[in-house]
Amino acid sequence: MVQSSTPARLRRGLGVWEAIGLSLALMAPSMAANINPQGTASSVGRAVPLAFALATVGVLLVAYTFVRLCQRFHHAGSVYGFVGATLGPRAGVVAGWSLLGTYVFYGVVTSTAAGIFGADALRVLGIWPDQPRWAGFALAAIALLGVLALAVVRVRGGTRVLLTIEGVTVGLILAVCVVVLVRLAGGTAPGGHTLDASVFSVAPGTGVSALFLGVVFGFLSFAGFEAAATLGEEARDPRRSIPRAILGTAVFGGVYFVFVTTVEVMGFGTDPAGIAAFTASSSLLGDLGAEYVAGWVGHLITVGAAVSAFGCALACAVGASRLLFALTRDGVGPAALAEVSPERGTPVRATCVVVGAMYLEVALAWFALDSAPFTLFQASATIGTLILLVVYALATIGAARLLFFSGHREVAAWEVVVPALALVLLGYTLFRNIVPYPEGGAGSYPAISAAWILLGVVWVLTRPGTARVAGARLTANDGLGADLTPPG
């Protein structure tokens, strides 16, 4: 570590592909396509692809916010910098703290998923057939060790690993989808299933409310597409490469999810029996690969899902460490966490803290609560997503204020419709997650999400001096590695 009065700087040198690698890995399309569509099917039945198509529209509306902000600003704190510059430092600190929480919870989600998929792969391959209940937790802990090792090295190498891992897995999934599609078209599919356009229409009796509840699960599949924004101080040309990475990831995700879910639903069948099997599947593409191609293909996809989950956990650690680095650099937290390793050019201490927080949550569920790995997966996913919806809303409001109500409008007036529609979507998505209020253990998820956000609110209200210092550093172009001054 280096002790210096000179503000810490991250090293520039990343291109658009490294930025895409981080966003793509955190979105984890291969993992999401295996476990999220089941939730959509429970609400909309056969119309899963329709729900994902509507979710794509919504995500592109939110992507507009990040593209416009990244064209003007580049900051390691992502929404902390964006919201701080547009809505004020207090709102910025709350947004940054909230997104930090989302990335930490998602790191737990994805490391646990890596453990679950990994344990399943070891079981079906006969390597570890008789597994104790804690097998998934043990493999999740091992995965987090790998995450820490890769997250502290130069980001260029880490993000290339992420892009390679996800690219190989997505390629395998698409190959299986093509085989399934060919067999459906040729009339050789198991169960007599064929191409069926009804997947783009809701079954009789399915209401609009149920359809948009299904859209919620589609929207959650895109979570993390904006992660490239945390590399704003490490990209060579951030005002071009970061917006391209964010928009490109959102567009790719939309095409990918709609295509894959279309094949998945038709592959299982659109009749009640097929939808029931679809909803109950623990690995949609693994099951399809085994049934339509060969058993070993299904096993390979399960292994690929585990590797994809690991890549997503790594992306979460990278994004969270940059957020923590940016917050502490501006006085919101211990200054020691704002140091950059001179050998690696990365915030090593901040990385150790965020990965340690992930370990703490896994250990709590494993030893104190004696819960199952999937229970931790589900809880952390819900908590992190509810926080993320609030973060997206703050960023959207900030972008609207900057672009249309600052007195220096540089975009067409009609574009105000885009953030307005995005806010409607975010509000309704949040509403559908908390009304009616979940019962049982799930009732704690919204409470924990609200508590995390309120911690940030209490901090800025009780420490106004900290918020003022953060605001001064956000708006000053003084060599901190952040340029929050609009071009021109």
Side-chain angles (χ1 to χ4, degrees):
M1 299 293 176
V2 59
Q3 299 286 348
S4 172
S5 59
T6 302
R9 289 179 180 270
L10 297 169
R11 296 179 184 174
R12 292 201 180 276
L14 304 182
V16 65
W17 287 108
E18 285 83 11
I20 289 175
L22 185 63
S23 281
L24 191 62
L26 210 156
M27 189 173 72
S30 56
M31 183 180 68
N34 267 297
I35 61 176
N36 285 349
Q38 293 93 320
T40 303
S42 65
S43 299
V44 303
R46 70 192 186 196
V48 173
L50 175 62
F52 271 81
L54 293 174
T56 299
V57 174
V59 168
L60 290 175
L61 293 174
V62 176
Y64 167 92
T65 291
F66 283 91
V67 167
R68 286 302 190 188
L69 289 172
C70 289
Q71 286 175 336
R72 289 169 171 258
F73 310 135
H74 53 92
H75 193 273
S78 182
V79 295
Y80 161 54
F82 301 158
V83 175
T86 55
L87 297 181
R90 289 185 176 184
V93 171
V94 172
W97 168 257
S98 298
L99 189 58
L100 173 62
T102 289
Y103 285 171
V104 169
F105 281 113
Y106 278 178
V108 174
V109 169
T110 51
S111 60
T112 303
I116 293 171
F117 287 132
D120 188 50
L122 293 176
R123 180 186 57 81
V124 298
L125 293 174
I127 300 174
W128 192 6
D130 299 320
Q131 298 178 356
R133 186 185 184 193
W134 47 261
F137 282 132
L139 293 178
I142 294 173
L144 282 175
L145 282 177
V147 165
L148 180 60
L150 286 178
V152 299
V153 302
R154 293 290 297 274
V155 175
R156 175 188 292 272
T159 51
R160 284 180 176 174
V161 169
L162 303 182
L163 190 57
T164 301
I165 291 171
E166 195 62 37
V168 170
T169 309
V170 168
L172 177 60
I173 288 173
L174 292 176
V176 169
C177 286
V178 169
V179 172
V180 173
L181 200 60
V182 170
R183 293 194 63 181
L184 288 169
T188 62
H193 302 312
T194 61
L195 298 178
D196 190 346
S198 68
V199 298
F200 290 101
S201 63
V202 295
T206 303
V208 174
S209 177
L211 177 61
F212 275 88
L213 182 58
V215 171
V216 167
F217 290 94
F219 186 82
L220 301 186
S221 298
F222 287 86
F225 77 93
E226 81 298 331
T230 63
L231 299 181
E233 295 176 37
E234 296 167 85
R236 288 189 294 269
D237 187 6
R239 289 188 176 122
R240 291 171 59 88
S241 60
I242 301 300
R244 287 178 178 179
I246 291 173
L247 183 60
T249 302
V251 171
F252 164 78
V255 175
Y256 169 83
F257 284 128
V258 172
F259 171 70
V260 172
T261 55
T262 298
V263 175
E264 287 174 336
V265 176
M266 291 191 297
F268 275 86
T270 58
D271 59 335
I275 297 303
F278 183 100
T279 305
S281 173
S282 60
S283 177
L284 291 171
L285 292 158
D287 289 344
L288 287 177
E291 186 175 12
Y292 279 77
V293 186
W296 65 267
V297 173
H299 301 334
L300 190 58
I301 289 180
T302 301
V303 173
V307 177
S308 172
F310 171 80
C312 187
L314 177 54
C316 290
V318 171
S321 65
R322 271 52 179 182
L323 274 163
L324 184 58
F325 163 81
L327 286 166
T328 54
R329 182 182 61 186
D330 290 354
V332 186
L337 299 182
E339 294 178 359
V340 175
S341 166
E343 295 84 12
R344 298 179 176 88
T346 60
V348 174
R349 287 184 177 177
T351 302
C352 291
V353 168
V354 298
V355 175
M358 296 174 191
Y359 258 112
L360 182 62
E361 188 174 346
V362 172
L364 180 65
W366 184 357
F367 297 107
L369 301 179
D370 192 28
S371 61
F374 186 77
T375 301
L376 176 62
F377 172 92
Q378 187 178 40
S380 298
T382 303
I383 294 167
T385 300
L386 292 177
I387 297 172
L388 185 64
L389 294 174
V390 176
V391 172
Y392 283 170
L394 287 172
T396 301
I397 293 171
R401 180 181 180 185
L402 174 70
L403 296 174
F404 304 103
F405 305 105
S406 64
H408 302 284
R409 181 165 54 84
E410 298 179 10
V411 298
W414 67 265
E415 291 189 33
V416 72
V417 174
V418 180
L421 290 175
L423 286 174
V424 170
L425 171 73
L426 293 168
Y428 191 74
T429 304
L430 186 61
F431 174 79
R432 290 301 307 173
N433 274 271
I434 61 177
V435 178
Y437 197 83
E439 299 179 352
S444 64
Y445 304 162
I448 294 174
S449 303
W452 182 277
I453 297 171
L454 285 175
L455 279 176
V457 174
V458 170
W459 177 274
V460 298
L461 291 179
T462 58
R463 302 175 67 91
T466 298
R468 283 195 296 270
V469 170
R473 293 182 178 179
L474 278 171
T475 55
N477 183 15
D478 59 2
L480 287 173
D483 181 3
L484 291 173
T485 306

